Amino acid sequence: KFEIFNLDMKTGDTLKIKGKISEDADGFSINLGCRSSDLALHFNPRFNESVIVCNSRCSNAWQEEHRDNNLCFSKGSTIKITIEMLADKFQVKLPEGHEVEFPNRHCYDKISYMSVKGGFRVTSFKL
């Protein structure tokens, strides 16, 4: 698990994360919010379902899932994910030009918490 508590990401900022997906990964998640119980973006590729699930979390309660069936990377690969924070949504740029959009449901204008969990090893990140 990779965690940052003082990220200081603001509307208009772009976060670039590079890393390697483990060969035996069932999936992984990248979480952005105020704390682990309040997430503006939960980005969760699941290899066992061949889907990318995005969600948000408010006071430990998960909200409605958004599912995208274009899983454009595989176990064992090294990838770069770019997340742009806009006033009304998050734009996630993935390999092969694929993009996933997810609404900024909590209307956050600042994000201080980030975590990466599961079968993904972060090799670099840049805000």
Side-chain angles (χ1 to χ4, degrees):
K1 186 162 127 174
F2 177 88
E3 260 184 321
I4 295 172
F5 296 93
N6 59 347
L7 187 65
D8 197 28
M9 184 176 185
K10 296 185 256 331
T11 305
D13 284 352
T14 300
L15 179 68
K16 293 179 178 161
I17 303 170
K18 276 187 189 160
K20 183 163 172 48
I21 301 167
S22 64
E23 297 284 351
D24 59 353
D26 290 329
F28 64 90
S29 67
I30 298 172
N31 302 295
L32 295 171
C34 294
R35 59 192 72 80
S36 61
S37 58
D38 290 284
L39 299 174
L41 175 66
H42 167 74
F43 175 82
N44 177 215
R46 298 178 186 172
F47 295 108
N48 55 347
E49 297 177 56
S50 294
V51 68
I52 296 173
V53 175
C54 290
N55 205 342
S56 54
R57 194 172 185 177
C58 190
S59 303
N60 265 331
W62 289 107
Q63 296 171 309
E64 191 184 341
E65 283 186 350
H66 166 85
R67 292 176 158 254
D68 186 304
N69 294 319
N70 193 337
L71 194 59
C72 54
F73 41 81
S74 55
K75 297 180 185 189
S77 60
T78 298
I79 60 167
K80 180 172 99 176
I81 297 172
T82 304
I83 302 171
E84 188 179 0
M85 182 180 175
L86 302 167
D88 60 336
K89 66 186 173 191
F90 292 90
Q91 218 159 4
V92 185
K93 293 185 170 81
L94 301 168
E96 297 173 20
H98 188 61
E99 283 188 21
V100 175
E101 286 188 358
F102 186 74
N104 185 353
R105 292 175 173 163
H106 306 313
C107 300
Y108 285 154
D109 56 4
K110 188 175 174 235
I111 288 192
S112 54
Y113 175 80
M114 173 179 131
S115 69
V116 180
K117 298 177 180 175
F120 184 83
R121 196 178 78 246
V122 176
T123 52
S124 74
F125 85 98
K126 183 177 147 192
L127 182 59

